[in-house]
Amino acid sequence: DRKYADDQRESLVNDRRRGTKFEITPKIEEVTAIHGFMNDIDCKMLDPAVVGEECVESAGALYEQHVRVWLDRDPVLSKAEVRDSGHGLHILLWLDETIVVAAGEARQWNDIARGICSALPGDPNLNGIIALTRPVGAMNTKHNPPREVQLLRPGEPVSRAEILDLNNRVTTQPARLW
């Protein structure tokens, strides 16, 4: 992963810094403000027998044929912004008001972020609240030639209550979302 260390990223926490992942990724305990939550769906992690070969090769096809439908089934997920990261999809739930993280609460919010990721077939190793997205217009150099990050769907802000509701539903009735 060091090979792509210079790719530009965008943080969803603290002051929403942009830079390389090594420059801008805080430790979980250093998070004092949350601006959004993310899920990362890597096309190559999906079974082509389930989603189709085209969707394993194209984030745009995966979004149009499957993810758009999944998001539209849920009142909170339907507000998500979707970016073609050049390698998959970044599903972003931007907050209408920043969540200020009090001392000792960061791990709790990290657990909530990880819970929300269970709502979709995303990367199980995603870094919770410190997960980084790729800014729209940035280049993903994991490909030759590099691929530009594109906005596939603008989002609408969600409230803290909606995030907590989504987490509660994923925790107590995960199958209902599917």
Side-chain angles (χ1 to χ4, degrees), residues 5 46 74 97 106 117 119 141 144 148 152 176:
L46 301 173
D74 184 80
E97 292 183 24
C117 285
T141 61
N144 189 14
E148 183 177 351
L152 297 180
R176 291 189 67 120

Side-chain angles (χ1 to χ4, degrees), residues 4-159:
Y4 311 108
D6 291 335
D7 281 8
Q8 290 296 296
R9 308 295 170 97
E10 178 182 358
S11 176
L12 301 153
V13 299
N14 297 344
D15 57 358
R16 292 190 58 199
R17 294 177 58 198
R18 287 186 179 201
T20 68
K21 69 180 180 179
F22 297 105
E23 294 171 335
I24 69 170
T25 304
K27 293 180 176 130
I28 292 170
E29 297 79 21
E30 297 171 339
V31 173
T32 58
I34 302 170
H35 303 278
F37 294 86
M38 182 178 131
N39 198 330
D40 180 12
I41 302 176
D42 186 339
C43 294
K44 298 290 184 195
M45 292 179 76
L46 301 173
D47 185 346
V50 175
V51 297
E53 192 66 44
E54 181 184 15
C55 295
V56 173
E57 298 298 324
S58 165
L62 177 64
Y63 170 71
E64 286 299 328
Q65 293 178 34
H66 299 287
V67 176
R68 182 180 52 77
V69 175
W70 298 340
L71 295 174
D72 288 343
R73 287 182 185 154
D74 184 80
V76 178
L77 294 175
S78 66
K79 297 179 180 182
E81 175 183 311
V82 180
R83 296 178 183 181
D84 177 339
S85 70
H87 196 66
L89 298 171
H90 286 183
I91 314 298
L92 302 160
L93 290 169
W94 294 107
L95 293 163
D96 60 357
E97 292 183 24
T98 302
I99 294 173
V100 177
V101 180
E105 288 185 347
R107 290 264 172 220
Q108 175 188 356
W109 282 106
N110 192 61
D111 290 346
I112 290 169
R114 288 185 175 281
I116 290 170
C117 285
S118 299
L120 297 167
D123 184 347
N125 298 316
L126 192 64
N127 289 326
I129 58 173
I130 60 169
L132 303 173
T133 187
R134 293 177 184 273
V136 174
M139 300 304 288
N140 183 333
T141 61
K142 287 184 179 179
H143 302 276
N144 189 14
R147 296 181 184 169
E148 183 177 351
V149 177
Q150 298 179 8
L151 180 67
L152 297 180
R153 172 182 178 146
E156 298 174 42
V158 299
S159 69

